[in-house]
Amino acid sequence: MNSRIDVLISRDEIEKKVKELGAKITDDYKGKELIIIGLLRGSVIFMSDLIREINLPLKVDFMTVSSYGNEKYSSKEVKIIQDLSENIMGKNVIVVEDIIDSGLTLNKVLEILKIREPKSLKLAAFLNKPTRREIEVKVDYIGYNIPDEFVVGYGLDYAQMYRNLPYVGILKGE
Ligand code: IMP
Ligand code: MG
């Protein structure tokens, strides 16, 4: 039962990347009002860093959708556990996610949010595993493309643990 975590993206690299993404979003949404929607729980660390790098008036909201349970691989079914508090009709929305793997979660979330007629709807994902995609999802802001490895830290968990690691690491041997 030996598990170890190999650093994939360091704290410094994360900080630099999040600043870049925040500056890009600030640029893209000049003069517009924004609602940033975080998908709980994985996105909270990235989201809290990202919004402080966005130099615009904005609101935040959260949504919980069912995810992997305690397993490393997806159960395929995506359900809303907790919905938004804000009405997004006519608003500029950015959905923030920790990682996109198969794409099933975000695809479903987008489908649900589109029905509510936001003015615009974009996606920001800190990590992306392009080789694992099962359904196409257009991601507007990506931190890093990573290989097909199970990663933890910076909000990402394995069985709800490791979210507080300040770096992203590859979990080996769980
Ligand atoms: P998707 O629906 O397959 O794109 O899965 C996205 C969700 O799966 C993410 O929000 C994460 O919660 C979880 N996930 C996917 N890959 C990893 C990983 O490498 N580490 C931790 N969680 C992951
Ligand atoms: Mg998640």
Side-chain angles (χ1 to χ4, degrees):
M1 285 272 117
N2 277 331
S3 67
R4 68 162 207 275
I5 296 169
D6 298 337
V7 177
L8 181 66
I9 308 169
S10 72
R11 193 174 193 158
D12 284 356
E13 289 173 299
I14 291 172
E15 198 185 316
K16 221 176 121 223
K17 182 62 77 178
V18 174
K19 277 193 190 344
E20 268 173 44
L21 291 172
K24 178 106 193 9
I25 292 171
T26 303
D27 238 40
D28 291 351
Y29 287 85
K30 276 262 149 59
K32 295 179 182 168
E33 272 182 58
L34 250 183
I35 300 185
I36 310 277
I37 294 176
L39 300 187
L40 294 174
R41 287 167 254 182
S43 73
V44 288
I45 311 286
F46 173 45
M47 174 150 166
S48 61
D49 283 346
L50 182 66
I51 58 176
R52 285 175 291 174
E53 300 296 338
I54 301 174
N55 187 18
L56 296 172
L58 58 80
K59 292 180 182 169
V60 297
D61 203 351
F62 295 95
M63 193 173 194
T64 309
V65 294
S66 61
S67 178
Y68 287 15
N70 286 347
E71 301 299 320
K72 279 192 180 180
Y73 298 100
S74 177
S75 59
K76 307 260 174 187
E77 217 191 309
V78 181
K79 278 188 282 191
I80 295 195
I81 310 288
Q82 165 103 42
D83 206 341
L84 299 174
S85 308
E86 297 287 326
N87 181 355
I88 61 165
M89 187 182 274
K91 302 286 165 64
N92 297 298
V93 174
I94 300 178
V95 176
V96 176
E97 176 63 310
D98 51 358
I99 187 167
I100 309 183
D101 189 50
S102 69
L104 294 168
T105 307
L106 269 177
N107 182 66
K108 183 75 185 179
V109 168
L110 286 187
E111 212 174 82
I112 293 163
L113 297 182
K114 266 182 199 153
I115 296 168
R116 303 178 188 179
E117 299 178 9
K119 185 171 182 190
S120 66
L121 182 58
K122 287 196 181 183
L123 295 181
F126 185 62
L127 300 175
N128 183 36
K129 289 182 189 169
T131 59
R132 298 259 310 162
R133 203 68 95 250
E134 287 175 38
I135 191 159
E136 210 196 302
V137 181
K138 184 173 171 278
V139 195
D140 304 279
Y141 305 98
I142 294 177
Y144 291 94
N145 288 308
I146 62 167
D148 180 12
E149 299 272 10
F150 195 84
V151 292
V152 294
Y154 199 61
L156 291 123
D157 74 305
Y158 173 66
Q160 298 306 329
M161 296 301 288
Y162 308 114
R163 294 192 196 276
N164 58 324
L165 297 177
Y167 54 87
V168 174
I170 298 174
L171 182 63
K172 294 274 172 73
E174 277 277 4

